[in-house]
């Protein structure tokens, strides 16, 4: 009997959960910041309030995440314009929240002396729900992300406006979260909701996500409302804190959902001296780099587009390069601005520059009434026409690539993207923990990345990235002294690297390993590749390199090197060039002219005059030559000329033809510019061209032939 009595409570909980575990499908009106339809789009979504009793806050719930993403999306629609038919208010009512419990604040005064820019629109709503422990209040806290307002964008970049020093918590987000905390407490008091008898869903996208992250931490730290009562789901949250406690497990009720292609969740950076992170767990959405390619393209994208195309009237445009772009943004930012003090520096202050951009992007006229003066409207139309011309030109050369990139920059962060993925993919489909690798290469070399079908995905010539050659899933970015090659973690790509140099050229490289979110896990030591002559180096980039210390390379035979070089356009020696040349000799002869042709064979036409006051001399040199890579960016030129000269000796002009040889060493800091220095050898032949060597020292070769050496310094452009 006692045993039977013991199982009654457990059985009653089971019966309770069973009776309330059937979700119903509701249709809600959806609109948001990037939605292209005039009217809200009706979408179906599952809803069951018993989820908030079935799941622990530290246990991820895909069902709750979907509801949170929905509210984060519709929170962008201004409530104050039409509260009675607003998608946010309507959705609250559809889910059973009493109209009297709904409170919102979308009318913000950014000129307020205390709060200023550190404000955010929000809505609160509550309803009674039944739980095994009795009736409780379910409280929704929905925080809007950044609207088309310069003020809140300025708050986003306020890392430490007060001190301009390194701080533990982002100042703009923290002060805004404090203001929201006061509003929430006031709402609970006014609604007579006991904190210990309530369950909370706190959610938001972008800026709203950062605020939700911090608000959850504030409530937990106070201890009145515990983490067991807090369901915090954020979408595209920026990093918020550098505190040591940020990894504390007591904040594991926070679930941060991020798109690895999205730049916003990676700022402020977590790299070098910048150590910014988010509280709680982070779950990374699928992308082209962390999911089986065929499944992603043939199964997942069509599912995502069933919702995305309804909202934006076009298909979703992913970057298909995983976290590569946001990693490079973090790399560049932390190199240019090594500390918070540098970020606020007076020379090139990113903080000041960003504020100017936001104020220019969101002018006062637009913020107030959405109208522009006729003069400004006319100017805007002219600018739009000019941009359209440029856009059409680039699209013509990239098969619509610019339009796709513009859409991709919108889609990477849009709440519509997060909502479409979560609504249409199950939990086991929507997320991935597959990381990626990058190879950092320095020096001068020719390189091609290609897939197993032989399609070229990237091309680098003489250390310079050919931007029009880039195709995903390969990714390359040129930096001042190096190139960064990005590779997905779900496949391997082939790489051929060559340098047709006489001496082996040292190409330094290192490997970098990243997790699925784009956080740096570690770097390898510096290693070197030594290509030369007609023998190239081959290796693979991608899954094979994850966690490796160095590349697994192979030497490619001369025959295969020649074939690959021709196939991928890596034959630098046959590239046609047209280069102006300026130079001067030690004898103060000034040369000017043109070189045209390839490294294999080129032709020169050079005019020359003497800069000496007492010498009358004019020359025209016609010649041909050959250029060979010596080492790295050093080149060796051998040239033969026939120089036709006119010299004035005494009172007579003399015409001569002078065979000339030139041997020069060139250095090429950039792809087209050559600085060179070399030796000139003019050949004097008896009874043929003595008049060209008036008062010039020569050296004997044979009885009839002597030569006159000289030096030559110049530049080719």
């Amino acid at each position: 009997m006692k045993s039977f009595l013991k199982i009654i409570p457990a059985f009653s909980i089971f019966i309770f959960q069973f009776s309330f575990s059937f979700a119903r499908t509701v249709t809600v009106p959806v609109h948001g910041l990037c939605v292209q339809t005039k009217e809200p789009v009706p979408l179906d979504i599952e809803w069951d309030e018993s989820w908030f009793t079935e799941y622990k806050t530290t246990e991820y719930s895909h069902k709750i995440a979907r509801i949170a993403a929905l509210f984060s999306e519709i929170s962008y629609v201004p409530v104050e314009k039409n509260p009675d038919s607003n998608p946010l208010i309507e959705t609250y009512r559809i889910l059973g929240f009493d109209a009297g419990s709904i409170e919102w604040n979308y009318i913000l005064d950014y000129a307020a002396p205390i709060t200023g820019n550190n404000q955010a629109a929000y809505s609160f709503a509550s309803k009674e729900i039944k739980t095994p422990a009795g009736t409780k209040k379910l409280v929704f806290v929905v925080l809007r992300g950044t609207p088309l307002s310069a003020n809140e964008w300025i708050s986003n970049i306020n890392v430490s406006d007060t001190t301009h020093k390194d701080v533990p918590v982002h100042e703009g987000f923290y002060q805004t979260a404090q203001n929201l905390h006061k509003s929430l407490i006031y709402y609970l008091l006014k609604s007579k909701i006991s904190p210990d008898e309530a369950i909370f869903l706190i959610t938001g996208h972008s800026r709203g996500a950062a605020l939700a992250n911090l608000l959850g931490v504030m409530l937990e730290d106070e201890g009145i409302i515990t983490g067991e009562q807090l369901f915090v789901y954020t979408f595209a949250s920026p990093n918020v804190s550098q505190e040591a406690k940020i990894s504390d497990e007591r904040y594991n009720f926070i679930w941060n959902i991020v798109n690895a292609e999205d730049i916003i969740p990676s700022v402020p950076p977590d790299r070098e001296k910048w150590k910014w992170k988010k509280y709680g767990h982070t779950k990374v959405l699928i992308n082209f780099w962390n999911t089986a390619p065929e499944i992603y393209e043939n199964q997942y994208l069509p599912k995502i587009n069933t919702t995305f195309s309804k909202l934006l009237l076009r298909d979703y445009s992913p970057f298909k390069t995983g976290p590569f772009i946001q990693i490079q943004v973090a790399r560049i930012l932390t190199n240019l601005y090594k500390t918070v003090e540098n970020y606020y520096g007076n020379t090139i202050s990113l903080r000041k520059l960003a504020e100017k951009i936001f104020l220019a992007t969101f002018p006062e006229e637009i913020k107030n009434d959405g109208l522009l003066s006729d003069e400004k409207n006319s100017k805007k139309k002219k600018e739009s026409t000019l941009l359209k011309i440029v856009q059409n030109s680039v699209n013509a050369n990239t098969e619509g690539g610019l339009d796709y990139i513009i859409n991709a920059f919108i889609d990477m962060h849009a709440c519509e993207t997060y909502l479409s993925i979560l609504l249409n993919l199950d939990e086991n489909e929507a997320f991935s923990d597959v990381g990626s690798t990058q190879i950092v290469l320095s020096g001068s070399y020719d390189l091609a990345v290609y897939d197993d079908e032989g399609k070229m995905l990237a091309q680098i010539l003489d250390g310079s990235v050919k931007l029009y050659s880039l195709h995903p899933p390969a990714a390359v970015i040129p930096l001042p002294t190096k190139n960064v090659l990005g590779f997905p973690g779900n496949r391997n790509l082939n790489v051929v690297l060559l340098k047709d140099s006489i001496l082996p050229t040292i190409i330094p490289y290192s490997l970098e390993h990243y997790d699925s979110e784009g956080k740096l896990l570690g770097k390898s030591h510096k290693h070197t590749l030594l290509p030369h002559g007609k023998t190239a180096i081959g290796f693979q980039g991608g899954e094979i390199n994850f966690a490796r210390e160095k590349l697994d390379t192979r030497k490619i035979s001369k025959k295969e090197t020649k074939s690959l070089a021709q196939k991928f356009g890596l034959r630098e020696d046959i590239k046609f060039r047209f280069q102006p040349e300026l130079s001067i000799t030690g004898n103060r002869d000034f040369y000017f002219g043109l070189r045209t042709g390839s490294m294999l064979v080129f032709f020169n036409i050079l005019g020359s005059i003497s800069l000496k006051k007492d010498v009358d001399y004019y020359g025209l040199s016609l010649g041909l030559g050959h250029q060979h890579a010596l080492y790295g960016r050093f080149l060796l030129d051998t040239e033969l000329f026939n120089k036709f000269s006119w010299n004035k000796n005494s009172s007579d002009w003399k015409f001569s033809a002078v065979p000339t040889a030139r041997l020069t060493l060139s250095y090429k800091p950039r792809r087209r510019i050559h600085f060179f220095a070399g030796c000139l050898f003019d050949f004097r032949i008896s009874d043929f061209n003595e008049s060209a060597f008036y008062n010039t020292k020569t050296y004997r070769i044979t009885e009839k032939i002597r030569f006159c050496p000289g030096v030559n310094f110049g530049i080719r452009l």
Side-chain angles (χ1 to χ4, degrees):
M1 185 66 179
K2 288 182 180 180
S3 300
F4 176 76
L5 291 174
K6 285 181 181 180
I7 67 170
I8 288 178
F11 183 72
S12 62
I13 292 173
F14 169 77
I15 293 296
F16 174 85
Q17 290 180 337
F18 180 79
S19 61
F20 286 94
S21 61
F22 293 100
R24 61 190 176 97
T25 300
V26 295
T27 302
V28 295
V30 177
H31 214 276
L33 190 63
C34 298
V35 175
Q36 295 299 300
T37 61
K38 187 176 180 180
E39 298 297 326
V41 177
L43 292 181
D44 293 336
I45 191 168
E46 280 190 324
W47 166 247
D48 192 334
E49 60 194 35
S50 68
W51 294 334
F52 295 92
T53 59
E54 290 178 8
Y55 290 95
K56 294 180 180 178
T57 59
T58 54
E59 178 186 0
Y60 173 77
S61 167
H62 204 56
K63 299 170 183 177
I64 295 176
R66 286 169 169 168
I67 287 293
L70 169 70
F71 274 91
S72 296
E73 165 71 13
I74 59 181
S75 70
Y76 278 100
V77 182
V79 178
E80 73 277 11
K81 291 186 177 180
N82 198 350
D84 293 333
S85 61
N86 180 272
L88 178 66
I89 306 303
E90 283 191 36
T91 302
Y92 274 132
R93 292 170 182 163
I94 290 170
L95 298 191
F97 289 86
D98 183 70
S101 76
I102 304 171
E103 181 177 300
W104 54 266
N105 181 20
Y106 275 66
I107 303 174
L108 307 178
D109 178 13
Y110 299 117
I114 297 177
T115 55
N117 293 331
N118 298 320
Q119 300 182 64
Y122 63 82
S123 66
F124 305 142
S126 60
K127 64 175 296 188
E128 287 189 349
I129 61 172
K130 294 179 180 179
T131 76
T135 301
K136 290 186 180 291
K137 284 282 188 177
L138 176 62
V139 181
F140 271 30
V141 178
V142 180
L143 310 177
R144 184 186 66 182
T146 316
L148 300 179
S149 158
N151 300 88
E152 292 189 40
W153 276 108
I154 291 170
S155 177
N156 291 345
I157 60 173
N158 171 14
V159 177
S160 178
D161 283 4
T162 304
T163 64
H164 295 190
K165 302 290 184 183
D166 208 16
V167 290
V169 184
H170 186 287
E171 185 175 291
F173 294 151
Y174 183 73
Q175 291 183 4
T176 307
Q178 283 186 314
N179 295 329
L180 292 168
H181 176 267
K182 293 174 185 175
S183 299
L184 176 59
I185 297 303
Y186 180 69
Y187 171 80
L188 296 177
L189 291 172
K190 186 173 63 173
S191 304
K192 297 180 180 179
I193 298 174
S194 175
D196 59 349
E197 293 297 320
I199 299 170
F200 296 83
L201 172 64
I202 305 176
T203 190
H205 168 261
S206 191
R207 172 178 171 81
L211 302 175
N213 193 286
L214 287 174
L215 181 58
V217 171
M218 289 178 181
L219 294 172
E220 162 65 21
D221 285 351
E222 283 178 341
I224 299 173
I225 300 170
T226 67
E228 294 177 353
Q229 301 167 257
L230 296 168
F231 291 86
V232 179
Y233 284 77
T234 79
F235 307 92
S237 174
N239 291 322
V240 297
S241 176
Q242 299 185 102
E243 290 185 300
K245 69 176 185 178
I246 201 163
S247 58
D248 198 313
E249 290 185 359
R250 63 195 180 101
Y251 304 119
N252 281 354
F253 57 86
I254 300 174
W255 296 93
N256 304 296
I257 297 173
V258 302
N259 176 10
E261 296 183 348
D262 189 353
I263 295 170
I264 301 303
S266 68
V267 292
D270 181 15
R271 191 182 180 103
E272 305 298 339
K273 293 183 179 180
W274 296 72
K275 302 296 182 184
W276 293 85
K277 297 177 177 65
K278 292 177 268 287
Y279 294 92
H281 302 277
T282 295
K283 292 180 74 67
V284 180
L285 295 173
I286 54 151
N287 60 59
F288 198 63
W289 268 22
N290 65 15
T291 311
E294 299 80 11
I295 295 176
Y296 180 78
E297 289 197 282
N298 299 328
Q299 296 183 31
Y300 294 166
L301 279 182
K303 286 183 181 180
I304 293 167
N305 283 323
T306 58
T307 297
F308 192 91
S309 59
K310 290 179 183 177
L311 300 174
L312 277 83
L313 305 182
R314 60 172 175 81
D315 284 348
Y316 171 48
S317 300
F319 269 114
K320 296 187 177 182
T321 53
F324 183 79
I325 293 175
Q326 56 109 328
I327 290 170
Q328 306 322 311
V329 170
R331 186 194 303 274
I332 293 168
L333 283 178
T334 53
N335 282 337
L336 292 176
Y337 305 96
K338 297 188 182 301
T339 63
V340 171
E341 288 87 343
N342 299 142
Y343 170 73
Y344 284 96
N346 294 323
T347 310
I348 305 177
S349 170
L350 181 59
R351 170 64 178 81
K352 291 178 182 177
L353 177 63
E355 182 167 336
K356 288 179 181 178
I357 292 172
F358 294 142
L359 290 171
T361 305
F362 308 108
E364 197 64 38
E365 293 92 337
I366 292 178
K367 285 190 294 181
N368 288 342
D369 55 18
L371 301 176
L372 291 170
S373 66
D374 291 340
E375 181 182 349
K376 289 186 177 180
N377 202 30
S378 175
K379 183 179 178 183
K380 198 169 182 66
K381 284 182 180 178
K382 289 179 181 177
E383 290 174 352
S384 177
T385 302
L386 179 61
L387 287 173
K388 198 69 179 175
I389 292 171
V390 175
Q391 185 174 340
N392 290 340
S393 175
V394 176
N395 279 328
N397 288 298
T398 59
E399 299 179 351
L402 182 59
D403 283 345
Y404 188 92
I405 289 172
I406 291 171
N407 289 337
F409 268 108
I410 294 169
D411 298 353
M412 70 175 184
H413 185 60
C415 194
E416 291 79 3
T417 298
Y418 288 80
L419 178 62
S420 299
I421 294 174
L422 292 176
L423 283 184
N424 295 288
L425 300 182
D426 295 332
E427 180 181 350
N428 63 328
E429 298 173 320
F431 304 104
S432 173
D433 59 2
V434 174
S436 61
T437 60
Q438 295 181 16
I439 303 173
V440 182
L441 286 162
S442 304
S444 169
Y445 51 87
D446 302 322
L447 177 146
V449 181
Y450 58 100
D451 61 20
D452 289 339
E453 285 72 44
K455 178 184 176 183
M456 186 171 71
L457 306 175
Q459 182 190 58
I460 298 176
L461 298 179
D462 196 26
S464 298
V465 179
K466 309 301 289 182
L467 296 179
Y468 284 151
S469 73
L470 300 181
H471 299 281
V476 184
I477 184 170
L479 297 176
T481 60
K482 55 195 173 188
N483 292 315
V484 181
L485 283 65
F487 295 92
N490 57 358
R491 75 199 90 178
N492 293 314
L493 302 176
N494 305 300
V495 183
V496 56
L497 182 147
L498 60 92
K499 182 67 181 180
D500 188 14
S501 56
I502 298 171
L503 301 174
T505 296
I506 297 175
I507 308 296
Y509 80 88
S510 61
L511 286 170
E512 296 180 347
H513 308 296
Y514 295 87
D515 68 9
S516 59
E517 187 183 358
K519 288 185 178 180
L520 180 63
L521 299 176
K523 301 179 184 179
S524 74
H525 294 94
K526 279 282 179 73
H527 303 285
T528 57
L529 301 171
L530 294 170
H532 68 93
K534 300 293 182 182
T535 303
I537 294 174
F539 56 88
Q540 287 190 314
E543 185 180 10
I544 192 173
N545 294 326
F546 199 75
R548 279 194 174 183
E549 170 62 24
K550 62 188 300 186
L551 295 171
D552 183 14
T553 62
R554 68 182 180 93
K555 288 186 178 181
I556 300 176
S557 68
K558 291 183 179 181
K559 183 178 179 181
E560 187 182 354
T561 296
K562 184 178 179 181
S563 173
L564 290 171
Q566 288 178 337
K567 181 176 182 178
F568 299 124
L570 303 181
R571 287 288 305 277
E572 277 291 282
D573 57 346
I574 63 172
K575 300 288 183 183
F576 185 86
R577 292 183 177 85
F578 183 83
Q579 291 182 293
E581 177 182 314
L582 299 172
S583 67
I584 191 169
T585 69
N587 200 33
R588 294 173 63 187
D589 291 340
F590 177 66
Y591 283 77
F592 55 92
L594 299 171
R595 168 189 284 192
T596 181
S598 66
M599 290 177 66
L600 206 59
V601 59
F602 56 81
F603 300 90
N604 277 333
I605 177 168
L606 300 173
S608 56
I609 60 173
S610 176
L611 299 180
K612 293 180 179 178
K613 291 183 179 179
D614 56 343
V615 174
D616 289 322
Y617 159 78
Y618 300 95
L620 178 66
S621 301
L622 302 175
L624 56 85
H626 169 74
Q627 187 178 70
H628 204 108
L630 178 63
Y631 170 85
R633 295 188 181 276
F634 289 96
L635 306 168
L636 189 65
D637 296 308
T638 53
E639 300 164 273
L640 295 175
F641 294 92
N642 196 357
K643 181 166 61 177
F644 302 98
S645 64
W646 289 264
N647 295 69
K648 187 175 183 181
N649 295 334
S650 299
S651 59
D652 298 326
W653 284 91
K654 299 291 185 179
F655 172 77
S656 303
V658 180
T660 301
R662 182 167 70 167
L663 183 66
T664 59
L665 182 67
S666 302
Y667 176 68
K668 187 165 55 171
R670 290 289 182 267
R671 183 157 178 76
R672 293 193 59 84
I673 298 176
H674 291 201
F675 295 102
F676 65 87
C679 298
L680 278 170
F681 301 93
D682 291 335
F683 294 91
R684 173 179 171 176
I685 303 173
S686 299
D687 302 324
F688 179 68
N689 60 9
E690 287 99 329
S691 61
F693 293 85
Y694 177 75
N695 201 23
T696 304
K697 188 174 182 180
T698 61
Y699 298 88
R700 179 176 172 179
I701 298 177
T702 68
E703 190 66 33
K704 291 189 115 182
I705 302 174
R706 302 176 70 87
F707 74 93
C708 174
V711 292
N712 189 208
F713 303 94
I715 183 173
R716 298 187 192 96
L717 305 172

